Amino acid sequence: VRVVAGSLGALRTSGLEAPFVGRDRDLRLIKELFHASAEESKAALVSVTGIAGIGKSRLSWEFEKYVDGLAEDSLWHRGRCLSYGEGVAYWALVDMVKMRCRIAEEEDTGTASAKLRSTLEAFVPDEKERAWIEPRLAHLLALDTGVAGDQENIFSAWRTFFERLSERHPVVMVFEDMQWADAGMLDFVEYLLEWSRSHRIFILALARPDIHEKRPGWGAGKRSFSSMYLEPLSPQAMTELLAGLVPGLPDELRDQILDRAQGVPLYAVETVRMLLDRGLLVREGAIYSPTGPIDSLEVPETLHALIAARLDGLAPDERRIVQDAAVLGKTFFKGGLARVSGSAEGEVEALLSSLLRKEVLSLQADPRSPERGQYGFLQDLMRKVAYDTLSKKERKAKHLAAAAFIEESWTGEDEEIVEVVANHYLSAYEAAPDAEDAESIRTTARERLVVAGERAASLAAPAEAQRYFEQALALTDDPAARASFLERAGGLAWQARRPGQAEAHYKEAIETFQGAGLAHSAARVSAALSEVDWASGGLIDEAVDRMEAAFEVLNKEEPDADLATLAAELGRLHYFKGEIEIAAERVDFALGIAEGLGIPETISQALNTKGLVATARARPEEGIALLGHALKVALEGDRTTAALRAYYNLAELSYGRDRYADAIDLHGRALDLAERAGNMLWQQLISEAMPYPLFMAGRWDEALERAGDISSWDWTGEMSGSLAVLPTICVNRGLDKGLAKMVELSAEYEGSTDVQRAGGRAVVMAVIHSSEGDHASAFAQAEAAIKFGLTTGADSPIVRIAFAAAVDAAFAVNDLDKVESVLAAFGGLRRGEVWPSLKALGERTNARLAAVTDDPEAAEGGFTRAVALFREIGMPYWLGAALTEFGEWLTSVGRADEAGPMLAEAREIFERLDAKPWLARLRVPH
């Protein structure tokens, strides 16, 4: 579980260790945050940033010793990010999982798989959950190829593994060199902090300031995130450090070192190491003393120069082997170094022993580490300086040797190291692009980059995968290959939420495919570009036109998955445009192909839209049945996104039928799935939808809680239901900032041909105009919203609010003709389309008409029926409104004694809802 207390010292190579000075406050803060995480059962992340040599590693080492000495066990994990290219996908996480499972890097697949299974059995008690986690962790470790199309479940499986560990003991995860982390790794760390917030997971991230260039705002706005920047040590601390290392250092030389060091402890330590290299210091116990006068030593001005001086001071064979090791990376095996250097292992081992003594290198001795037995640079700066001294010709030869060694000797699946191999080939080609064998190296590099891209994509690291395909693109002149790489890079950019890059890649891919005479492929990419246009810019007309053109091209060839997917998406967009019959044709066409080919994702999505089409055709029970089966297909096929869409639409149909408890339950199940899968987009979409049923059920505080801080909303855009109800809450509670935000959020829907978005905008403006006393404008907007809502069915979330807003606006100006026109708009609905809430709103409206036109029998009957229906359905807001209007009418006809209980109940409802205008109205004597 952990290293036995007091044994950590044996895991470090003995050698020069500076006193730990000047960082006590930082270490104390890390300890406090760690204990808070463990005691309060919450995830926490501490990001420690600072320049090279400032003391980040030493700080984490002191923290590790502290944790190791605690009475309670902790599960310690350490992983480092590689510096190849812009990072290797999840390498640090691979290190951590291997450490927990005790899997060595050279472990064969069978043994490693058995160790993984044994670890899961020890920490994950639920058999089904183990079966779900194991293939996804195995894919991370490259022990198998993973589950096809499973990227949306990858993060959740990895997260669940660490959560189960934390249920046994507090978990510590130390990420080294986070400035080299791939985007996927950074995403996962932030995701883990967000989604595992109630688990004892403590993350310590060590990085140089460069991390803020790669991820601006790293950690900003995240709960339980603490940032710590390591400033240079004070002159007093630096003096104490040097005195602890070399008590007899002459004052003049000490002052010169302190002046040049500028508070960077590594500078002081490396200066002492340089003195040791030159035989000017001798070790006496734990102290180093001068062997004689060293006043004349010239101290280099910068740390870089100091490292270069140390490198120059090595023997020629030692310097050569350090340069060879620099090609392999920060850590390496002895065999790999022998291959790159062209020397025998015995010769290499003797040189490595000397470099260990001189503290240029270290040897990993931690039995928990997958890198046990590997050598590594004590400072990455030494590796960089050594690498920079190699000529391009030398770099090429050594990178090729490194790639060959890795490919020949690796016992695991190739995918685990393919990114490293690809970077070696790429570096070899870039070192000599005009050499005779350059084309062969270029081809090999391209092939490895494509494999690396596919592996990164399969691990839900789209940004890294995009980069690999872009690099492969630069290594080919073949039009078909270029277009294929552009298409792949465009799709990955879209997954990485980079719409501008996705659009640019897709457009170039279309042009390149067309130039190569590949019309089918060009049409496929054109359809993908349409999705970007619609989802990122709301350009639904342009998207549909481009998709239809692509459909015509693909439909001339043998039906395939491309055509089925396109037809299903076309059906969805035509539905959003209100073109119900065309939508029906396209989804039926999609199902005809998808069922024959057995494509669960497309089958579920097409059935989903088909259910919506059925509802728009006034066949809601058929729609519910289709959506229910769409959900079943998605869940059985482990297609999370399709399942979440089905949950979402089923919930909407439920509250469209006034089944608000059912809708809230469906939303809750959907949120659970979104959280388990880590699907933040759908988690946000569902959270945006939940205010509607919560509003109708009278749970306004929960509706606002789901919406979050109204004044700072940054929503996805799929929010017609919330747009319909939240303005009413804002008006009733006097939330002016919220109203202003609703106007801002819905402004982009002005003039949209997407009926849901246009209807949402119209409802917002109707409620706002009404609150401002502009009843004519309120009626016009509400009337438009009714029209938009009825296009997709009378159960649209827009319809009820728009109905009530239109009627209220018409009564406000005593325009009974407009009231009649609203009723007439619903007069053509069949009995099965008139849900209880619509019937109740109609009864309430007719009662108000009767009251104004002096028809007491009709007024009393209408109010009585409306109150009964609103009460039965469980819609307190409109129940309170109907009770108020009924009570006011009874009072006006001399029946105040009957009105009293009604008005009292209304007052109680509006007090609970905090509906201020209604409470003010009820305080007026009648």
Side-chain angles (χ1 to χ4, degrees):
V1 174
R2 69 180 176 99
V3 179
V4 178
S7 67
L8 281 170
L11 302 181
R12 287 172 64 100
T13 303
S14 61
L16 185 64
E17 184 170 321
F20 183 69
V21 296
R23 302 291 183 207
D24 293 339
R25 179 181 173 187
D26 299 321
L27 181 59
R28 184 168 62 252
L29 177 58
I30 293 174
K31 292 177 185 177
E32 290 171 356
L33 291 169
F34 165 71
H35 285 297
S37 170
E39 292 165 8
E40 299 172 22
S41 293
K42 66 177 184 180
L45 189 157
V46 178
S47 178
V48 179
T49 56
I51 61 173
I54 203 67
K56 301 183 293 296
S57 297
R58 179 59 186 274
L59 186 61
S60 72
W61 166 241
E62 295 295 329
F63 176 58
E64 183 174 1
K65 289 193 290 185
Y66 171 76
V67 171
D68 186 59
L70 295 175
E72 181 184 3
D73 290 349
S74 294
L75 301 178
W76 184 275
H77 308 82
R78 182 185 293 273
R80 61 187 179 87
C81 304
L82 296 190
S83 60
Y84 293 104
E86 295 179 24
V88 177
Y90 305 115
W91 192 271
L93 193 64
V94 171
D95 274 353
M96 291 181 180
V97 176
K98 283 185 172 180
M99 175 178 280
R100 177 53 43 213
C101 300
R102 303 295 177 90
I103 297 173
E105 286 210 2
E106 70 275 14
E107 202 95 56
D108 65 86
T109 302
T111 306
S113 296
K115 288 184 175 181
L116 171 61
R117 188 169 300 112
S118 176
T119 302
L120 288 172
E121 289 172 353
F123 289 100
V124 184
D126 184 84
E127 185 176 352
K128 289 184 179 179
E129 193 169 62
R130 284 203 306 273
W132 180 71
I133 294 173
E134 184 175 347
R136 293 162 178 90
L137 275 182
H139 183 39
L140 173 68
L141 304 183
L143 301 177
D144 67 20
T145 56
V147 181
D150 191 49
Q151 291 87 342
E152 57 192 10
N153 292 316
I154 286 283
F155 273 20
S156 56
W158 301 345
R159 183 198 83 222
T160 304
F161 172 66
F162 285 102
E163 286 180 352
R164 297 299 168 264
L165 295 180
S166 73
E167 289 167 3
R168 189 75 59 84
H169 299 290
V171 167
V172 180
M173 303 172 74
V174 180
F175 291 89
E176 297 182 23
D177 296 323
M178 280 291 271
Q179 73 277 1
W180 292 327
D182 54 288
M185 186 74 264
L186 294 172
D187 287 341
F188 178 74
V189 170
E190 291 186 336
Y191 161 88
L192 187 65
L193 183 65
E194 175 68 22
W195 292 90
S196 300
R197 53 185 173 270
S198 299
H199 290 78
R200 300 179 297 173
I201 299 176
F202 183 76
I203 303 167
L204 184 63
L206 312 176
R208 296 178 193 169
D210 312 12
I211 191 173
H212 295 292
E213 297 177 11
K214 176 173 284 191
R215 180 62 61 91
W218 156 242
K222 300 292 182 184
R223 58 166 62 91
S224 299
F225 176 91
S226 301
S227 182
M228 181 185 299
Y229 186 82
L230 298 188
E231 299 286 351
L233 293 181
S234 67
Q236 179 180 353
M238 288 293 290
T239 301
E240 184 181 345
L241 183 149
L242 273 175
L245 283 170
V246 191
L249 204 63
D251 292 346
E252 184 179 343
L253 180 59
R254 182 201 63 204
D255 293 342
Q256 186 180 5
I257 294 172
L258 291 177
D259 181 60
R260 297 279 173 85
Q262 294 293 304
V264 178
L266 179 61
Y267 187 98
V269 174
E270 284 299 313
T271 302
V272 174
R273 284 182 176 138
M274 183 176 68
L275 295 171
L276 284 167
D277 291 346
R278 299 183 183 185
L280 298 175
L281 291 178
V282 62
R283 181 171 181 171
E284 298 175 355
I287 295 175
Y288 295 85
S289 302
T291 57
I294 50 177
D295 302 84
S296 61
L297 179 69
E298 183 61 33
V299 180
E301 293 189 5
T302 66
L303 181 57
H304 190 284
L306 179 58
I307 295 293
R310 282 205 68 205
L311 189 62
D312 288 341
L314 297 176
D317 286 350
E318 292 174 337
R319 185 165 58 251
R320 176 181 57 80
I321 211 71
V322 170
Q323 291 171 319
D324 293 339
V327 174
L328 290 166
K330 190 172 182 179
T331 62
F332 51 89
F333 282 109
K334 179 174 59 180
L337 183 57
R339 178 68 171 271
V340 171
S341 67
S343 305
E345 283 200 22
E347 181 184 348
V348 168
E349 187 170 7
L351 291 169
L352 288 173
S353 297
S354 175
L355 291 167
L356 286 173
R357 288 192 300 273
K358 293 182 177 182
E359 299 192 24
V360 172
L361 303 177
S362 64
L363 178 63
Q364 178 58 264
D366 187 343
R368 304 164 301 170
S369 174
E371 296 181 343
R372 185 184 185 191
Q374 289 196 43
Y375 293 84
F377 286 89
L378 272 177
Q379 295 299 328
D380 188 67
L381 186 57
M382 175 69 80
R383 184 199 63 80
K384 184 179 184 306
V385 171
Y387 184 82
D388 289 344
T389 61
L390 289 168
S391 68
K392 290 186 176 181
K393 182 178 179 180
E394 290 174 314
R395 291 181 190 179
K396 172 190 170 183
K398 294 181 187 304
H399 276 297
L400 290 176
F405 171 78
I406 294 171
E407 290 186 309
E408 291 171 13
S409 62
W410 203 260
T411 57
E413 298 292 334
D414 289 344
E415 286 82 357
E416 183 180 1
I417 45 81
V418 70
E419 295 169 80
V420 176
V421 172
N423 275 291
H424 278 302
Y425 279 115
L426 183 60
S427 297
Y429 170 73
E430 290 174 342
D434 299 321
E436 290 184 4
D437 58 350
E439 184 57 36
S440 172
I441 297 171
R442 183 187 192 213
T443 299
T444 304
R446 182 174 65 247
E447 291 171 351
R448 299 299 188 275
L449 285 167
V450 169
V451 177
E454 294 297 353
R455 171 167 168 78
S458 72
L459 287 171
E464 307 316 306
Q466 176 191 346
R467 177 169 57 84
Y468 286 124
F469 278 103
E470 288 170 344
Q471 289 176 325
L473 176 67
L475 299 180
T476 183
D477 301 315
D478 178 67
R482 287 185 59 80
S484 176
F485 296 156
L486 283 163
E487 178 185 5
R488 198 74 179 91
L492 291 161
W494 180 235
Q495 289 181 37
R497 299 186 181 182
R498 299 169 171 177
Q501 295 178 31
E503 181 180 7
H505 283 319
Y506 277 152
K507 285 182 175 178
E508 189 177 351
I510 292 168
E511 183 179 341
T512 309
F513 273 132
Q514 289 174 337
L518 300 171
H520 181 110
S521 298
R524 179 183 63 241
V525 182
S526 181
L529 177 59
S530 299
E531 174 73 12
V532 175
D533 285 345
W534 175 62
S536 63
L539 305 174
I540 193 168
D541 290 330
E542 293 87 338
V544 168
D545 289 345
R546 187 184 285 114
M547 280 189 178
E548 285 291 355
F551 182 82
E552 289 301 317
V553 174
L554 297 183
N555 197 24
K556 294 175 182 177
E557 302 181 16
E558 187 71 20
D560 62 3
D562 291 339
L563 182 57
T565 301
L566 173 56
E569 185 63 14
L570 264 172
R572 187 164 72 104
L573 293 195
H574 279 298
Y575 170 82
F576 287 134
K577 284 191 70 177
E579 297 168 350
I580 304 304
E581 298 310 313
I582 303 176
E585 290 178 15
R586 291 292 180 257
V587 294
D588 282 341
F589 185 91
L591 285 168
I593 301 172
E595 291 206 43
L597 296 176
I599 312 172
E601 176 79 22
T602 304
I603 292 170
S604 177
Q605 297 284 11
L607 285 172
N608 199 318
T609 303
K610 190 176 178 69
L612 299 178
V613 167
T615 304
R617 288 171 162 176
R619 299 204 297 266
E621 296 304 326
E622 178 186 343
I624 289 175
L626 287 166
L627 279 166
H629 194 64
L631 176 61
K632 182 173 184 289
V633 169
L635 291 174
E636 289 179 350
D638 209 8
R639 296 298 188 266
T640 303
T641 300
L644 288 167
R645 183 184 172 220
Y647 270 128
Y648 182 96
N649 287 330
L650 266 175
E652 187 167 296
L653 288 187
S654 294
Y655 57 69
R657 277 144 198 78
D658 303 316
R659 303 169 187 168
Y660 299 112
D662 290 347
I664 293 168
D665 175 65
L666 284 164
H667 278 318
R669 288 157 59 190
L671 280 174
D672 288 343
L673 177 59
E675 181 169 348
R676 184 170 67 84
N679 192 316
M680 294 188 176
L681 174 62
W682 272 102
Q683 188 265 351
Q684 189 171 358
L685 282 168
I686 294 159
S687 293
E688 290 168 8
M690 287 192 79
Y692 189 92
L694 290 169
F695 167 87
M696 292 297 184
R699 294 158 62 173
W700 286 16
D701 289 338
E702 292 177 64
L704 290 175
E705 183 181 348
R706 284 294 175 188
D709 181 3
I710 297 175
S711 63
S712 61
W713 278 340
D714 181 20
W715 283 5
T716 62
E718 303 299 325
M719 51 184 180
S720 58
S722 289
L723 285 174
V725 298
L726 288 172
T728 298
I729 299 178
C730 291
V731 166
N732 276 279
R733 293 196 168 180
L735 302 174
D736 295 336
K737 288 184 178 180
L739 278 177
K741 191 67 177 180
M742 298 303 296
V743 175
E744 176 191 333
L745 288 169
S746 63
E748 65 180 281
Y749 301 160
E750 188 73 45
S752 174
T753 53
D754 183 321
V755 293
Q756 290 191 353
R757 294 180 175 186
R761 166 68 173 179
V763 167
V764 170
M765 299 314 298
V767 174
I768 288 175
H769 286 316
S770 179
S771 71
E772 295 170 345
D774 185 356
H775 300 296
S777 297
F779 182 84
Q781 292 286 350
E783 190 177 41
I786 290 171
K787 180 181 177 182
F788 287 128
L790 289 177
T791 302
T792 57
D795 61 343
S796 164
I798 298 167
V799 167
R800 294 162 180 76
I801 303 293
F803 183 117
V807 168
D808 288 345
F811 274 119
V813 294
N814 201 32
D815 191 334
L816 303 188
D817 289 339
K818 285 185 176 178
V819 176
E820 294 283 5
S821 72
V822 175
L823 290 170
F826 294 88
L829 296 178
R830 294 178 294 175
R831 180 178 179 182
E833 296 177 84
V834 182
W835 306 110
S837 58
L838 277 180
K839 184 177 180 181
L841 286 168
E843 293 285 8
R844 176 191 171 208
T845 303
N846 282 316
R848 294 167 76 181
L849 269 175
V852 172
T853 58
D854 198 23
D855 185 348
E857 184 178 345
E860 182 169 1
F863 278 131
T864 300
R865 289 188 292 272
V867 166
L869 281 169
F870 285 133
R871 196 186 303 282
E872 179 183 346
I873 299 166
M875 299 174 71
Y877 177 65
W878 280 323
L879 171 60
L883 285 168
T884 300
E885 292 157 353
F886 196 0
E888 290 173 345
W889 177 77
L890 286 171
T891 301
S892 71
V893 297
R895 297 164 62 183
D897 56 334
E898 297 177 55
M902 294 182 185
L903 295 175
E905 182 181 358
R907 187 176 295 107
E908 186 276 328
I909 290 171
F910 291 129
E911 284 175 349
R912 179 158 42 88
L913 297 178
D914 192 21
K916 294 178 175 63
W918 286 98
L919 289 171
R921 177 171 170 173
L922 286 165
R923 282 194 291 270
V924 177
H926 297 285

